[in-house]
Amino acid sequence: MSGPWTHADETCQSPYLPKITGQEDYLYIWTLGAEGVGDGSDKLVTIGTNPAKKDQYGKVLSSVSVGGRHEAHHGGFNDDRRYLWLGGLDDSKIFIFDVASDPAKPKLAKTIDTFVKDSGGVVGPHTFYPLPGRMLITGLSNEKDHGGKTGMVEYSNEGKYIQTLWMPDAAPYGYDVRVQPHLNRMLTSSFTGWNNYMMDFGQMVADKEAMKRFGQTMVLWDFHARKPIQIFEVPGAPLEVRWALQPRHYYAFTATALTSKLWLVAQKADGTFAAKDVGNIGDPTKIPLPVDMSLSADDQILFVNTFLDGMCRVYNVGDPTKPKMIHEQKIGAQVNMVSQSWDGKRVYFTSSLLTNWDKKGDANEQFLKAYTWDGKTLKQTFAVDFNKENLGRPHIMHLGQEQFYKNQIYTEQTTETGGANVANR
Protein backbone atom coordinates (compact mmCIF):
# COMPACT_ATOMS: atom_id res chain seq x y z
CA MET A 1 0.00 0.00 0.00
CA SER A 2 2.05 2.80 -1.18
CA GLY A 3 -0.47 4.99 -0.23
CA PRO A 4 -0.40 5.23 2.77
CA TRP A 5 1.11 3.08 0.61
CA THR A 6 2.17 5.07 -2.79
CA HIS A 7 3.51 6.40 -6.11
CA ALA A 8 6.55 7.66 -7.73
CA ASP A 9 7.89 6.06 -10.52
CA GLU A 10 8.95 7.49 -13.80
CA THR A 11 6.68 5.37 -16.00
CA CYS A 12 3.62 6.06 -13.85
CA GLN A 13 3.87 9.84 -13.62
CA SER A 14 1.27 12.27 -14.87
CA PRO A 15 1.15 12.65 -18.68
CA TYR A 16 1.48 16.39 -18.06
CA LEU A 17 4.94 16.00 -16.44
CA PRO A 18 8.17 16.05 -18.51
CA LYS A 19 9.91 12.69 -18.10
CA ILE A 20 13.48 11.73 -17.34
CA THR A 21 14.21 9.12 -20.00
CA GLY A 22 18.00 8.75 -19.56
CA GLN A 23 20.21 7.91 -16.60
CA GLU A 24 18.90 9.48 -13.42
CA ASP A 25 21.43 11.23 -11.14
CA TYR A 26 19.34 11.42 -7.96
CA LEU A 27 16.59 9.84 -5.97
CA TYR A 28 14.57 12.19 -3.79
CA ILE A 29 13.14 10.19 -0.90
CA TRP A 30 10.43 11.59 1.40
CA THR A 31 11.35 10.05 4.75
CA LEU A 32 9.32 9.64 7.94
CA GLY A 33 11.00 10.81 11.10
CA ALA A 34 11.50 8.15 13.76
CA GLU A 35 11.92 8.76 17.48
CA GLY A 36 15.53 8.26 18.53
CA VAL A 37 16.79 8.19 14.94
CA GLY A 38 18.83 11.29 14.07
CA ASP A 39 16.85 14.46 14.69
CA GLY A 40 13.60 12.47 14.63
CA SER A 41 12.02 14.75 12.00
CA ASP A 42 10.51 14.05 8.60
CA LYS A 43 13.00 14.94 5.88
CA LEU A 44 13.75 14.96 2.17
CA VAL A 45 16.81 12.79 1.49
CA THR A 46 18.76 12.93 -1.78
CA ILE A 47 20.74 9.85 -2.88
CA GLY A 48 23.21 9.72 -5.81
CA THR A 49 22.20 7.08 -8.39
CA ASN A 50 24.51 7.64 -11.39
CA PRO A 51 27.26 4.97 -11.44
CA ALA A 52 29.41 7.26 -13.60
CA LYS A 53 29.66 9.65 -10.64
CA LYS A 54 31.58 7.40 -8.27
CA ASP A 55 31.88 10.02 -5.52
CA GLN A 56 28.07 10.22 -5.31
CA TYR A 57 26.84 6.75 -6.30
CA GLY A 58 24.80 5.11 -3.55
CA LYS A 59 25.60 7.91 -1.09
CA VAL A 60 23.51 10.41 0.86
CA LEU A 61 24.05 13.78 -0.82
CA SER A 62 21.72 15.89 1.28
CA SER A 63 19.10 15.68 4.00
CA VAL A 64 16.68 18.51 4.75
CA SER A 65 14.47 18.21 7.83
CA VAL A 66 11.10 19.95 7.88
CA GLY A 67 10.84 19.94 11.68
CA GLY A 68 8.61 17.50 13.53
CA ARG A 69 6.84 14.32 12.42
CA HIS A 70 3.85 14.74 10.11
CA GLU A 71 3.52 11.15 8.81
CA ALA A 72 5.53 11.88 5.66
CA HIS A 73 4.05 9.85 2.86
CA HIS A 74 3.59 10.91 -0.74
CA GLY A 75 4.42 13.76 -3.03
CA GLY A 76 4.90 14.80 -6.62
CA PHE A 77 6.54 17.34 -8.89
CA ASN A 78 4.63 20.30 -10.27
CA ASP A 79 4.06 20.35 -14.03
CA ASP A 80 7.51 21.72 -14.98
CA ARG A 81 9.31 19.49 -12.47
CA ARG A 82 10.95 22.38 -10.66
CA TYR A 83 9.15 22.03 -7.35
CA LEU A 84 8.47 18.87 -5.38
CA TRP A 85 5.31 18.92 -3.25
CA LEU A 86 5.36 16.57 -0.23
CA GLY A 87 2.52 15.84 2.20
CA GLY A 88 2.00 14.69 5.78
CA LEU A 89 -0.94 12.34 6.36
CA ASP A 90 -1.28 13.16 10.06
CA ASP A 91 -1.55 16.96 10.25
CA SER A 92 -2.11 17.56 6.50
CA LYS A 93 0.84 19.94 6.10
CA ILE A 94 2.35 20.31 2.62
CA PHE A 95 6.02 21.10 2.06
CA ILE A 96 7.17 22.48 -1.31
CA PHE A 97 10.86 22.02 -2.18
CA ASP A 98 12.80 23.92 -4.85
CA VAL A 99 14.66 21.20 -6.76
CA ALA A 100 15.68 23.11 -9.91
CA SER A 101 18.03 25.62 -8.27
CA ASP A 102 20.41 22.91 -7.04
CA PRO A 103 19.19 19.39 -7.93
CA ALA A 104 21.72 17.75 -5.60
CA LYS A 105 20.55 19.82 -2.64
CA PRO A 106 16.83 20.70 -2.76
CA LYS A 107 15.69 23.51 -0.49
CA LEU A 108 12.39 24.01 1.34
CA ALA A 109 10.68 26.93 -0.42
CA LYS A 110 7.18 27.03 1.04
CA THR A 111 4.87 25.33 3.53
CA ILE A 112 1.09 25.12 3.23
CA ASP A 113 -0.49 24.55 6.65
CA THR A 114 -4.06 25.49 5.68
CA PHE A 115 -4.97 22.41 3.60
CA VAL A 116 -7.85 21.32 5.86
CA LYS A 117 -9.28 24.84 6.13
CA ASP A 118 -8.77 25.62 2.44
CA SER A 119 -10.48 22.42 1.32
CA GLY A 120 -13.47 22.62 3.64
CA GLY A 121 -12.45 19.64 5.74
CA VAL A 122 -10.40 17.23 3.61
CA VAL A 123 -7.67 15.48 5.67
CA GLY A 124 -4.60 13.45 4.70
CA PRO A 125 -3.11 14.73 1.40
CA HIS A 126 -2.01 11.61 -0.45
CA THR A 127 -1.44 11.58 -4.22
CA PHE A 128 0.08 14.76 -5.69
CA TYR A 129 -0.74 14.74 -9.40
CA PRO A 130 0.42 17.60 -11.64
CA LEU A 131 -1.98 19.07 -14.17
CA PRO A 132 -1.22 22.04 -16.41
CA GLY A 133 -0.73 25.02 -14.10
CA ARG A 134 -2.05 23.27 -11.02
CA MET A 135 -1.67 20.39 -8.55
CA LEU A 136 -4.44 17.82 -7.98
CA ILE A 137 -4.25 16.26 -4.50
CA THR A 138 -6.29 13.32 -3.27
CA GLY A 139 -7.33 13.14 0.38
CA LEU A 140 -7.75 10.06 2.58
CA SER A 141 -10.05 11.35 5.31
CA ASN A 142 -12.07 14.26 6.64
CA GLU A 143 -11.96 16.66 9.58
CA LYS A 144 -15.46 15.84 10.88
CA ASP A 145 -14.99 12.21 11.99
CA HIS A 146 -11.55 11.20 10.65
CA GLY A 147 -13.30 8.40 8.74
CA GLY A 148 -12.96 7.46 5.09
CA LYS A 149 -15.23 10.03 3.42
CA THR A 150 -12.95 12.42 1.58
CA GLY A 151 -12.30 14.41 -1.58
CA MET A 152 -9.77 15.83 -4.03
CA VAL A 153 -8.30 19.31 -3.79
CA GLU A 154 -6.74 21.53 -6.44
CA TYR A 155 -4.12 24.23 -5.93
CA SER A 156 -2.40 26.52 -8.42
CA ASN A 157 1.32 26.02 -8.99
CA GLU A 158 1.83 29.04 -6.75
CA GLY A 159 0.08 27.27 -3.89
CA LYS A 160 -3.28 29.07 -4.03
CA TYR A 161 -6.40 27.00 -3.32
CA ILE A 162 -8.70 26.50 -6.34
CA GLN A 163 -11.44 23.96 -5.54
CA THR A 164 -12.49 20.82 -3.68
CA LEU A 165 -14.16 17.81 -5.34
CA TRP A 166 -15.82 15.55 -2.79
CA MET A 167 -16.03 11.87 -3.66
CA PRO A 168 -19.56 10.69 -4.63
CA ASP A 169 -21.84 9.50 -1.80
CA ALA A 170 -21.94 5.97 -3.26
CA ALA A 171 -18.12 5.78 -3.25
CA PRO A 172 -16.94 8.16 -0.50
CA TYR A 173 -13.42 6.76 0.08
CA GLY A 174 -10.35 8.02 -1.78
CA TYR A 175 -6.74 7.12 -2.38
CA ASP A 176 -4.99 7.40 -5.77
CA VAL A 177 -5.82 9.29 -8.97
CA ARG A 178 -4.55 8.94 -12.55
CA VAL A 179 -5.66 10.57 -15.83
CA GLN A 180 -6.01 9.04 -19.32
CA PRO A 181 -5.97 12.24 -21.41
CA HIS A 182 -6.73 10.61 -24.78
CA LEU A 183 -10.09 9.45 -23.45
CA ASN A 184 -10.75 12.40 -21.12
CA ARG A 185 -11.05 9.91 -18.28
CA MET A 186 -9.80 10.02 -14.69
CA LEU A 187 -9.75 6.98 -12.39
CA THR A 188 -9.69 7.06 -8.58
CA SER A 189 -9.28 4.30 -6.00
CA SER A 190 -10.04 3.98 -2.27
CA PHE A 191 -8.36 3.15 1.04
CA THR A 192 -9.29 4.15 4.58
CA GLY A 193 -9.51 7.14 6.91
CA TRP A 194 -7.22 8.76 9.51
CA ASN A 195 -8.66 6.63 12.36
CA ASN A 196 -7.29 3.50 10.68
CA TYR A 197 -4.08 4.62 9.01
CA MET A 198 -2.84 6.26 12.21
CA MET A 199 -3.76 3.19 14.34
CA ASP A 200 -1.32 0.44 15.32
CA PHE A 201 -1.54 -2.22 12.60
CA GLY A 202 -2.01 -5.17 14.97
CA GLN A 203 -4.67 -3.33 16.93
CA MET A 204 -6.51 -2.41 13.75
CA VAL A 205 -6.49 -5.95 12.34
CA ALA A 206 -7.94 -7.24 15.62
CA ASP A 207 -10.71 -4.63 15.54
CA LYS A 208 -13.57 -6.04 13.44
CA GLU A 209 -15.31 -2.67 13.17
CA ALA A 210 -12.12 -0.95 12.01
CA MET A 211 -11.61 -3.60 9.33
CA LYS A 212 -15.03 -2.78 7.90
CA ARG A 213 -13.92 0.79 7.25
CA PHE A 214 -11.96 0.29 4.02
CA GLY A 215 -12.81 1.38 0.50
CA GLN A 216 -14.42 -1.14 -1.84
CA THR A 217 -14.84 1.02 -4.94
CA MET A 218 -13.18 2.81 -7.84
CA VAL A 219 -14.64 5.78 -9.69
CA LEU A 220 -14.30 6.73 -13.36
CA TRP A 221 -14.62 10.47 -13.99
CA ASP A 222 -15.12 12.82 -16.90
CA PHE A 223 -11.73 14.47 -16.42
CA HIS A 224 -12.42 17.91 -17.88
CA ALA A 225 -15.81 18.25 -16.21
CA ARG A 226 -14.53 16.60 -12.99
CA LYS A 227 -17.78 14.60 -12.84
CA PRO A 228 -18.08 10.93 -11.77
CA ILE A 229 -19.63 8.77 -14.51
CA GLN A 230 -19.12 5.15 -13.35
CA ILE A 231 -18.56 3.42 -9.99
CA PHE A 232 -16.99 -0.06 -9.84
CA GLU A 233 -17.16 -2.55 -6.98
CA VAL A 234 -13.55 -3.58 -6.24
CA PRO A 235 -13.52 -5.26 -2.79
CA GLY A 236 -10.53 -5.04 -0.46
CA ALA A 237 -9.07 -1.52 -0.76
CA PRO A 238 -7.94 -0.93 -4.37
CA LEU A 239 -4.79 1.18 -4.16
CA GLU A 240 -2.44 2.28 -6.94
CA VAL A 241 -3.89 3.13 -10.37
CA ARG A 242 -1.65 2.41 -13.36
CA TRP A 243 -3.00 3.35 -16.79
CA ALA A 244 -1.38 1.59 -19.76
CA LEU A 245 0.91 3.93 -21.71
CA GLN A 246 0.78 2.69 -25.28
CA PRO A 247 -1.64 4.15 -27.90
CA ARG A 248 -5.02 2.42 -27.94
CA HIS A 249 -4.27 0.54 -24.72
CA TYR A 250 -7.35 1.78 -22.91
CA TYR A 251 -7.04 -0.01 -19.59
CA ALA A 252 -5.57 0.34 -16.12
CA PHE A 253 -4.41 -1.99 -13.35
CA THR A 254 -4.90 -1.81 -9.64
CA ALA A 255 -4.16 -4.17 -6.74
CA THR A 256 -6.33 -4.74 -3.69
CA ALA A 257 -4.51 -4.64 -0.36
CA LEU A 258 -6.82 -6.80 1.72
CA THR A 259 -7.89 -9.40 -0.86
CA SER A 260 -4.53 -9.61 -2.68
CA LYS A 261 -5.80 -9.50 -6.24
CA LEU A 262 -4.89 -7.80 -9.48
CA TRP A 263 -7.77 -5.97 -11.16
CA LEU A 264 -8.12 -4.72 -14.71
CA VAL A 265 -10.31 -1.71 -15.50
CA ALA A 266 -10.78 -1.75 -19.27
CA GLN A 267 -12.86 0.05 -21.87
CA LYS A 268 -15.60 -1.94 -23.58
CA ALA A 269 -16.79 -1.67 -27.17
CA ASP A 270 -19.61 0.71 -26.18
CA GLY A 271 -17.15 3.15 -24.59
CA THR A 272 -17.99 2.33 -20.98
CA PHE A 273 -15.50 0.61 -18.66
CA ALA A 274 -15.66 -2.59 -16.60
CA ALA A 275 -13.55 -3.78 -13.63
CA LYS A 276 -12.46 -7.43 -13.56
CA ASP A 277 -10.41 -9.58 -11.16
CA VAL A 278 -7.59 -11.01 -13.31
CA GLY A 279 -5.52 -12.96 -10.78
CA ASN A 280 -4.14 -13.48 -7.29
CA ILE A 281 -0.99 -11.86 -5.89
CA GLY A 282 0.80 -14.49 -3.85
CA ASP A 283 -1.46 -16.50 -1.55
CA PRO A 284 -4.46 -14.31 -0.63
CA THR A 285 -5.24 -16.51 2.40
CA LYS A 286 -1.95 -15.32 3.95
CA ILE A 287 -2.79 -11.62 3.26
CA PRO A 288 0.65 -10.60 1.90
CA LEU A 289 -0.70 -7.04 1.64
CA PRO A 290 0.01 -5.79 -1.90
CA VAL A 291 1.22 -2.22 -1.82
CA ASP A 292 2.98 -0.31 -4.61
CA MET A 293 3.30 -1.42 -8.22
CA SER A 294 5.00 -0.18 -11.38
CA LEU A 295 4.07 -0.75 -15.04
CA SER A 296 6.80 -0.66 -17.70
CA ALA A 297 6.65 1.95 -20.48
CA ASP A 298 5.83 -0.72 -23.08
CA ASP A 299 2.93 -2.09 -20.95
CA GLN A 300 4.55 -5.56 -20.83
CA ILE A 301 5.95 -5.86 -17.29
CA LEU A 302 4.26 -5.13 -13.96
CA PHE A 303 6.24 -5.07 -10.68
CA VAL A 304 4.08 -5.64 -7.59
CA ASN A 305 5.33 -5.37 -3.99
CA THR A 306 3.75 -7.11 -1.02
CA PHE A 307 4.58 -5.52 2.32
CA LEU A 308 4.24 -8.30 4.86
CA ASP A 309 6.40 -10.93 3.13
CA GLY A 310 8.84 -8.37 1.68
CA MET A 311 8.44 -9.76 -1.84
CA CYS A 312 8.47 -8.27 -5.31
CA ARG A 313 6.54 -10.26 -7.91
CA VAL A 314 7.04 -9.51 -11.60
CA TYR A 315 4.24 -10.21 -14.08
CA ASN A 316 4.13 -10.38 -17.86
CA VAL A 317 0.98 -8.40 -18.65
CA GLY A 318 1.28 -8.47 -22.46
CA ASP A 319 -2.20 -9.98 -22.28
CA PRO A 320 -3.68 -7.74 -19.57
CA THR A 321 -6.55 -10.16 -18.99
CA LYS A 322 -4.13 -12.98 -18.07
CA PRO A 323 -1.14 -11.71 -16.05
CA LYS A 324 1.61 -14.34 -15.81
CA MET A 325 4.15 -14.22 -12.98
CA ILE A 326 7.67 -14.55 -14.43
CA HIS A 327 9.80 -13.78 -11.37
CA GLU A 328 9.57 -13.33 -7.60
CA GLN A 329 12.25 -12.15 -5.22
CA LYS A 330 12.48 -11.27 -1.55
CA ILE A 331 13.66 -7.69 -1.13
CA GLY A 332 13.69 -7.45 2.68
CA ALA A 333 11.76 -8.15 5.87
CA GLN A 334 9.26 -5.55 4.61
CA VAL A 335 8.99 -3.62 1.36
CA ASN A 336 6.61 -0.91 0.19
CA MET A 337 7.49 1.37 -2.72
CA VAL A 338 8.87 0.38 -6.12
CA SER A 339 10.04 2.83 -8.81
CA GLN A 340 11.58 2.07 -12.17
CA SER A 341 13.52 4.15 -14.67
CA TRP A 342 11.83 4.98 -17.98
CA ASP A 343 13.83 2.28 -19.81
CA GLY A 344 12.92 -0.28 -17.15
CA LYS A 345 16.56 -1.22 -16.52
CA ARG A 346 16.84 0.19 -12.98
CA VAL A 347 14.39 -0.55 -10.17
CA TYR A 348 14.39 0.98 -6.68
CA PHE A 349 12.68 -0.18 -3.50
CA THR A 350 11.99 1.46 -0.13
CA SER A 351 10.71 -0.14 3.03
CA SER A 352 8.34 2.02 5.06
CA LEU A 353 4.56 1.90 4.83
CA LEU A 354 3.23 3.91 7.77
CA THR A 355 4.76 4.66 11.17
CA ASN A 356 2.24 2.49 13.02
CA TRP A 357 2.08 -0.22 10.35
CA ASP A 358 5.81 -0.88 9.88
CA LYS A 359 7.13 -4.03 11.49
CA LYS A 360 8.77 -3.90 14.90
CA GLY A 361 12.10 -5.04 16.31
CA ASP A 362 14.70 -6.57 13.98
CA ALA A 363 12.10 -6.82 11.19
CA ASN A 364 11.81 -3.04 11.10
CA GLU A 365 14.37 -2.78 8.32
CA GLN A 366 14.50 0.69 6.76
CA PHE A 367 16.29 0.85 3.45
CA LEU A 368 16.65 2.03 -0.10
CA LYS A 369 17.77 -0.82 -2.35
CA ALA A 370 18.75 -0.37 -6.01
CA TYR A 371 18.58 -3.16 -8.59
CA THR A 372 19.06 -3.73 -12.29
CA TRP A 373 16.40 -5.64 -14.26
CA ASP A 374 17.47 -7.68 -17.31
CA GLY A 375 14.05 -9.07 -18.17
CA LYS A 376 14.53 -12.18 -16.05
CA THR A 377 15.90 -11.26 -12.64
CA LEU A 378 16.65 -8.39 -10.26
CA LYS A 379 20.33 -7.86 -9.36
CA GLN A 380 21.16 -5.58 -6.43
CA THR A 381 23.62 -2.76 -7.14
CA PHE A 382 23.63 -0.77 -3.88
CA ALA A 383 21.71 -0.26 -0.66
CA VAL A 384 21.41 2.51 1.91
CA ASP A 385 20.50 1.55 5.49
CA PHE A 386 18.34 4.45 6.69
CA ASN A 387 18.58 3.31 10.32
CA LYS A 388 22.38 3.30 10.33
CA GLU A 389 22.43 6.64 8.50
CA ASN A 390 20.15 8.11 11.21
CA LEU A 391 17.62 9.23 8.59
CA GLY A 392 14.34 7.49 9.47
CA ARG A 393 11.82 5.52 7.41
CA PRO A 394 12.09 5.96 3.62
CA HIS A 395 8.85 6.13 1.67
CA ILE A 396 8.11 7.63 -1.76
CA MET A 397 10.88 8.14 -4.32
CA HIS A 398 11.18 10.57 -7.23
CA LEU A 399 13.90 10.64 -9.86
CA GLY A 400 16.11 13.65 -10.63
CA GLN A 401 18.63 14.46 -13.34
CA GLU A 402 21.21 17.26 -13.52
CA GLN A 403 20.98 17.70 -17.29
CA PHE A 404 17.19 18.03 -17.22
CA TYR A 405 17.44 21.20 -15.16
CA LYS A 406 20.33 22.58 -17.20
CA ASN A 407 18.15 22.23 -20.28
CA GLN A 408 15.29 24.03 -18.56
CA ILE A 409 17.50 26.94 -17.46
CA TYR A 410 18.94 27.19 -20.98
CA THR A 411 15.43 27.51 -22.38
CA GLU A 412 14.65 30.30 -19.94
CA GLN A 413 17.82 32.22 -20.87
CA THR A 414 17.18 32.00 -24.58
CA THR A 415 13.55 32.99 -24.12
CA GLU A 416 14.66 36.13 -22.32
CA THR A 417 16.72 37.10 -25.36
CA GLY A 418 13.93 36.51 -27.79
CA GLY A 419 14.25 32.75 -28.12
CA ALA A 420 16.57 33.04 -31.13
CA ASN A 421 18.99 30.43 -29.84
CA VAL A 422 16.50 27.77 -28.82
CA ALA A 423 16.83 25.96 -32.14
CA ASN A 424 20.61 25.81 -31.72
CA ARG A 425 20.58 23.48 -28.71
Side-chain angles (χ1 to χ4, degrees):
M1 297 177 253
S2 90
W5 285 302
T6 28
H7 319 250
D9 125 75
E10 201 60 22
T11 60
C12 303
Q13 297 279 8
S14 165
Y16 304 104
L17 184 75
K19 306 297 187 298
I20 291 176
T21 56
Q23 172 67 52
E24 59 280 3
D25 294 312
Y26 311 112
L27 268 185
Y28 304 114
I29 305 176
W30 188 212
T31 301
L32 293 79
E35 187 173 357
V37 179
D39 66 2
S41 292
D42 296 347
K43 52 182 63 68
L44 180 61
V45 177
T46 303
I47 305 289
T49 55
N50 189 340
K53 300 179 179 179
K54 297 187 184 304
D55 60 328
Q56 297 183 351
Y57 188 56
K59 296 180 180 177
V60 178
L61 303 182
S62 75
S63 171
V64 182
S65 293
V66 298
R69 290 193 287 275
H70 312 273
E71 194 62 39
H73 200 75
H74 281 301
F77 285 106
N78 72 324
D79 63 349
D80 64 7
R81 213 171 177 123
R82 297 185 178 206
Y83 291 92
L84 182 58
W85 295 44
L86 302 166
L89 290 182
D90 186 8
D91 58 11
S92 299
K93 284 190 176 182
I94 296 171
F95 304 93
I96 303 176
F97 279 78
D98 173 5
V99 176
S101 297
D102 185 351
K105 297 179 179 179
K107 296 179 179 63
L108 182 61
K110 183 173 184 174
T111 300
I112 297 174
D113 57 9
T114 55
F115 178 80
V116 178
K117 180 181 179 183
D118 292 345
S119 63
V122 176
V123 164
H126 183 260
T127 297
F128 290 74
Y129 199 75
L131 303 176
R134 62 181 61 188
M135 183 68 78
L136 174 64
I137 305 169
T138 62
L140 295 184
S141 192
N142 68 85
E143 183 183 31
K144 185 176 181 180
D145 64 4
H146 278 183
K149 180 178 176 58
T150 192
M152 294 182 284
V153 186
E154 296 184 27
Y155 281 86
S156 70
N157 280 352
E158 293 73 32
K160 295 182 179 178
Y161 169 76
I162 298 174
Q163 65 175 340
T164 299
L165 309 163
W166 287 95
M167 297 296 290
D169 290 342
Y173 287 68
Y175 180 77
D176 195 16
V177 63
R178 290 289 188 275
V179 173
Q180 215 300 356
H182 297 166
L183 299 178
N184 184 33
R185 291 293 177 264
M186 181 168 73
L187 190 59
T188 55
S189 56
S190 57
F191 179 47
T192 193
W194 187 97
N195 289 329
N196 272 3
Y197 67 70
M198 293 301 294
M199 188 187 301
D200 176 82
F201 184 73
Q203 179 185 344
M204 183 192 69
V205 171
D207 185 334
K208 293 182 179 179
E209 290 303 312
M211 292 302 291
K212 294 178 182 177
R213 297 191 287 267
F214 280 86
Q216 314 285 339
T217 54
M218 298 183 75
V219 181
L220 187 74
W221 302 68
D222 178 321
F223 169 55
H224 289 302
R226 307 287 204 272
K227 298 292 185 185
I229 53 177
Q230 278 189 268
I231 294 174
F232 309 109
E233 295 297 323
V234 183
L239 298 180
E240 312 311 320
V241 177
R242 299 290 181 253
W243 282 106
L245 297 169
Q246 293 298 304
R248 296 180 292 282
H249 281 190
Y250 297 144
Y251 56 83
F253 291 102
T254 192
T256 49
L258 302 181
T259 50
S260 198
K261 291 182 177 296
L262 273 176
W263 282 74
L264 179 70
V265 181
Q267 191 181 44
K268 300 190 295 184
D270 64 0
T272 63
F273 279 71
K276 179 183 179 183
D277 165 11
V278 292
N280 294 334
I281 303 169
D283 181 353
T285 65
K286 297 179 180 177
I287 313 178
L289 209 59
V291 279
D292 198 13
M293 61 183 185
S294 174
L295 181 63
S296 62
D298 60 4
D299 297 337
Q300 298 298 304
I301 300 296
L302 184 68
F303 297 87
V304 181
N305 284 354
T306 45
F307 180 76
L308 290 178
D309 60 9
M311 298 290 291
C312 177
R313 294 176 176 82
V314 187
Y315 295 86
N316 182 322
V317 289
D319 179 351
T321 66
K322 297 177 181 177
K324 180 181 179 183
M325 192 175 73
I326 58 174
H327 182 66
E328 59 180 338
Q329 188 166 330
K330 191 171 184 65
I331 304 301
Q334 56 188 5
V335 67
N336 185 22
M337 304 298 294
V338 53
S339 295
Q340 65 177 302
S341 56
W342 183 261
D343 60 12
K345 294 180 179 179
R346 297 169 300 284
V347 186
Y348 302 95
F349 298 91
T350 55
S351 50
S352 181
L353 177 53
L354 290 158
T355 297
N356 293 324
W357 290 31
D358 285 354
K359 294 183 178 180
K360 297 178 174 59
D362 292 341
N364 185 29
E365 297 177 351
Q366 296 298 345
F367 57 76
L368 161 70
K369 292 184 178 180
Y371 291 77
T372 57
W373 168 250
D374 62 3
K376 295 181 180 178
T377 189
L378 291 162
K379 182 180 180 182
Q380 187 173 324
T381 53
F382 72 81
V384 178
D385 186 327
F386 271 54
N387 283 326
K388 287 185 178 179
E389 296 285 348
N390 283 322
L391 294 170
R393 304 165 183 254
H395 194 85
I396 197 166
M397 301 165 276
H398 284 281
L399 276 59
Q401 185 189 66
E402 197 77 26
Q403 189 61 44
F404 172 85
Y405 292 106
K406 288 180 179 177
N407 289 346
Q408 299 301 306
I409 291 169
Y410 181 82
T411 301
E412 273 191 347
Q413 291 171 339
T414 53
T415 299
E416 289 174 358
T417 57
N421 295 325
V422 172
N424 296 329
R425 287 183 295 171

